[in-house]
Amino acid sequence: MSRILKRLGIFVLLLLLVLLLLSILFSWMTKLNPPEPENDTALKLERKQVAENHYEIGDNWLRKNDAGLWEMYTEGKAFERGAINGKLSLELVQEQEDHFVGQMNQMVPSSFYIRFLKYLIGWFNRDLDDFVPEEYQLEIYGVSHAASNEYDYIAPNYQRVLNYHAAHDIGHALQNMALVGCTSFGAWKGKSEDSTLIIARNFDFYVGEEFAENKIVSFVAPDEGYKFMMITWGGMIGVVSGMNEHGLTVTLNAAKSEVPAKAATPISILARKILQYATTIEEAYSIAEQHKTFISESLMIGSAKDKEVAIIEKTPTLIGIYKSKRNYIACSNHFQSETFKSDDLNIQSIKESDSPYRFKRINELIRREPQIDERGAAEILRNQKGIGGAELGMGNEKAINQLIAHHSVIFKPEQRLVWVSTSPYQLGKFVAYDLNEIFADTFQIKSGQPITVDSLVIPVDNFLLSTDFRNFKQFKQLRSTLKQATKDNTDLPPDFDRQFIMLNPELYSTYSLLGDYYKSKEDCDTAKKYFEQALTKEIPKKSDTDRLNESIQECAKQ
């Protein structure tokens, strides 16, 4: 017996040694080493607090405006402006990571699966730095010095922040998760009020309510390329919505993707390069051609020089461009160019997703307006109805306004004007910025004075002041209660069903969630009733309909 135990002990020791060696080998192979800046003196700079929520480092600054938006200006070389960005927005960088990691833990509650994803993504992204231009590696490295050491268990700061720039791509590609369902459009000539370009978009990227709390309107004057503005968040130097000093705009709309085989350029980094180095649609297309990307994406490009809007459609293997023959263009989450007319994934997306419904609806809204100005554009972005004015229920993915937007933005490229929405979602007022002034050599920020153009403010949406909005807030609270009760197999309070339905009676998920709860309680008659009610409502995706039918069949069998 002692000999067997001895052999078993040796086997366990050898197994542990092998696992240790494999762990060391994995860490070595997946470690992303930071770039080496020519000069790191920016790390010694200290921010000065000018007033509450107002900081400066030399000519760089960060402050919070009266509408709740953070405004930031950074300049200089890549590492320098990254380090200054991180120092100015230290608390925002750390809070944003808290919110992101917290939401990921909610979405993936299994600690084992979290660790599995950590190693999977680490291996998948082991060559990520090969696909990110050195300029942006340096800038990200500068910002990463502001990241908290609390998450070292995930990866070192630089590696973590670099990987966050691919988080959108990975989450979208691995599961085609419902994190992104954006809608955008542009109008010009006779369709816009003054015949100049107007471009508008909802960025429906949802990683929890807290993730959207601290939006940053960032103005950047790099040492190379063109000055630009973008709407972003702490630690993010990639672009999802922005305009440069030449009136070129970039906005992103995800499309259905295959699971990628290896790392490539994050789409937000490609968009950043276009914004910083292009002035025309042709130049933007040329930059897009140069980079292999993780996922499929539509990049809507507006150009003051071209007086036109086009959509660059890009997959990991193909690229196409779509231009409208009319005086307006619309984009949701499927491709429109000839390049992808016979693409199987694109055809599947058109058949099975909510994208074509939103596409039809936004075209309907655009055609309904004789001419569109910034207020008309905001009304379109805020619209919650379905095709022909159908009731969808509050928060339906078929709506242009899904009540999840991180931000909405409206551009007038030829005038260098931009309007940015304020919380919640796109319901708060849109504040306006004049890039002609902000990027002028003579511009100086004055303490206590706004840099927004007060005369151009777009008022809050009336929905924000309505009983329906109060109902929606309560509905979300009860929805969390319902999901938790389903997960924990606990009982709901008396009269819960009636209250929950009353708050959002037209939304299909009101009933499907109740069905899930009663199914978990093995009350199949009640569950089946709710699943059948859900099927009478507007359902976003074929997969949602399939799941409801499968649940009904399972209930019938039981």
Side-chain angles (χ1 to χ4, degrees), residues 439-459:
F439 286 144
D441 294 335
T442 56
F443 178 78
Q444 287 186 333
I445 183 172
K446 297 178 182 177
S447 183
Q449 292 188 12
I451 61 170
T452 53
V453 184
D454 290 344
S455 61
L456 296 178
V457 168
I458 300 172

Side-chain angles (χ1 to χ4, degrees), residues 167-235:
H168 158 88
D169 309 57
I170 293 169
H172 170 63
L174 284 179
Q175 295 184 18
N176 282 304
M177 295 162 68
L179 299 179
V180 186
C182 310
T183 314
S184 56
F185 69 93
W188 57 93
K189 294 183 179 176
K191 198 61 181 177
S192 69
E193 184 192 37
D194 55 8
S195 293
T196 65
L197 287 176
I198 186 165
I199 299 162
R201 73 97 99 253
N202 284 338
F203 183 58
D204 291 320
F205 180 69
Y206 186 78
V207 197
E209 300 287 332
E210 292 177 326
F211 190 84
E213 285 179 355
N214 292 313
K215 290 179 275 289
I216 301 174
V217 183
S218 176
F219 305 95
V220 184
D223 64 322
E224 296 181 3
Y226 309 118
K227 299 174 183 178
F228 63 91
M229 67 77 58
M230 62 180 176
I231 301 101
T232 186
W233 50 87

Side-chain angles (χ1 to χ4, degrees), residues 479-506:
R479 182 174 60 190
S480 296
T481 301
L482 176 57
K483 287 182 177 180
Q484 196 65 44
T486 304
K487 177 186 172 185
D488 298 339
N489 196 26
T490 54
D491 294 332
L492 290 170
D495 203 34
F496 181 93
D497 296 23
R498 185 191 64 81
Q499 292 180 46
F500 189 60
I501 292 170
M502 178 184 67
L503 294 170
N504 203 353
E506 295 302 322

